[in-house]
Amino acid sequence: MRLSTGTKAAAIIASAALLMTACSPGGSDTTGGGSSEPVWDDASNEYVMEEAVASGEAALTVWVEYPEYGEALKSAFELAHPGTRLDYEVVAKVEALDRMSLDGEAGSGADVFTTNYDDLAQAIDSSVAAPLGRYSEIVTERVGEDFASVVTRDDAMYGVPISTESIALFYNKTLLQELTGSPDPATTWEEIATLASTYNDPAVNRWTIRFLAGEMYYAYPVLSSLGWSLYPDGDLADPSLDSPKLTPGLEYYSGLRDIWDVNSADATYDFIENEFVKGETPYVITGPWTFADFDAAAEANGFEYGVTTLPQVDGGEPAASLAGMGVGIVSGYSEYPAAARVLANFMASPEGAAALYSSTGSIPAVGANNVDEVEGLATDAHAAGIIAQSQNADFVAEIPEYMYTAGNELVTNVWDRVLDVPTAQERAVKSYNELRDLTQ
């Protein structure tokens, strides 16, 4: 994973000292109330929950996006901590931070809430997020340094990685065996181009690879493989759309039109996923949201498919994707700071990950070496492919919607060969600045 400079440097936090005090070990009052300092128990490697929570007198509250996950998490947590009570409320991740900012201060918010990783800087700045304290090393061991770095600021961990999502390379093992003599996928675009030179047949809509060619989200892995990154300095005023590092990447991306020769407007989900399920397309670039459809099609049509990391440019860097991550955050307003941290730590544990995976099919954010600890995940080779790609992702601290508008325009102009690359870059910079000005 490549963590952007902006993510590393985001949020020089004025409230950090206060929050760290609330999380420092050594306090003696554990009867409840946010004014006490959590006590660490070396024997159990856990914070000592406030008595009101440990006895079941008071319930913890967690906000999750799906009721199935809420039920599974409640059952697993209460089983692991007999006598406790966990209530859940369904709150969309995209709404959680704004709502916590109001409800937390009013005393009606959650003890732990889930949101998207790129909300973390704002959560810290507004004192909504509290640091995990002694759990940071434990969580890092479970999820790995790559994922842990996404939720760490100034050497303090402010959230636990819960789920991850990324596009990856999906491939038809059965078809590749027939065409190449091996079920193994390509690792470079050059290998894909070699197969395309003999397999492609536009007259019958037969293509070696399919993907959403007119979107920056799908072009980014190619551009990153040739050395470009979005917001390299973490400055929203400079997305680096005019960077000389971007130019060769766009030129190369334009050349991929030779192996997937459709206009960007025609490269739709239906034209991609619906063709892969027929069993006649060796490769597609898509994400885990297709698992159910692909699983059913593979069984019905008699083929086996796999999921692996995205192809890189021969001689280039590994292809980085713009991945997503769901995180669990301890509320800075929680009346039970110790118990809230126990819950957050549990959400990132193998048992917590299993609750997520079994109830929703979402892919837990676990380290590659710890996949075997999550029930069911160890045998899910498709999920393993997404995890592998997510660990080579760019978790950019913030990507505003207008970036995707300008970025998609750039990629479309290049792919459809409406503009040459330098002119397309100039146009994209102009569009980006105009759109950003409208938000100021």
Side-chain angles (χ1 to χ4, degrees), residues 258-279:
D258 294 340
I259 63 174
W260 172 220
D261 192 12
V262 299
N263 289 326
S264 59
D266 296 325
T268 63
Y269 285 106
D270 287 343
F271 201 51
I272 297 165
E273 279 85 353
N274 286 352
E275 290 299 320
F276 187 77
V277 299
K278 297 176 182 178

Side-chain angles (χ1 to χ4, degrees), residues 319-367:
S321 53
L322 293 171
M325 180 185 289
V327 299
I329 296 178
V330 171
S331 169
Y333 298 103
S334 175
E335 186 178 357
Y336 306 106
R341 286 166 175 81
V342 173
L343 172 58
N345 175 61
F346 181 83
M347 293 169 73
S349 71
E351 295 79 11
L356 173 73
Y357 179 68
S358 64
S359 62
T360 67
S362 298
I363 300 174
V366 297

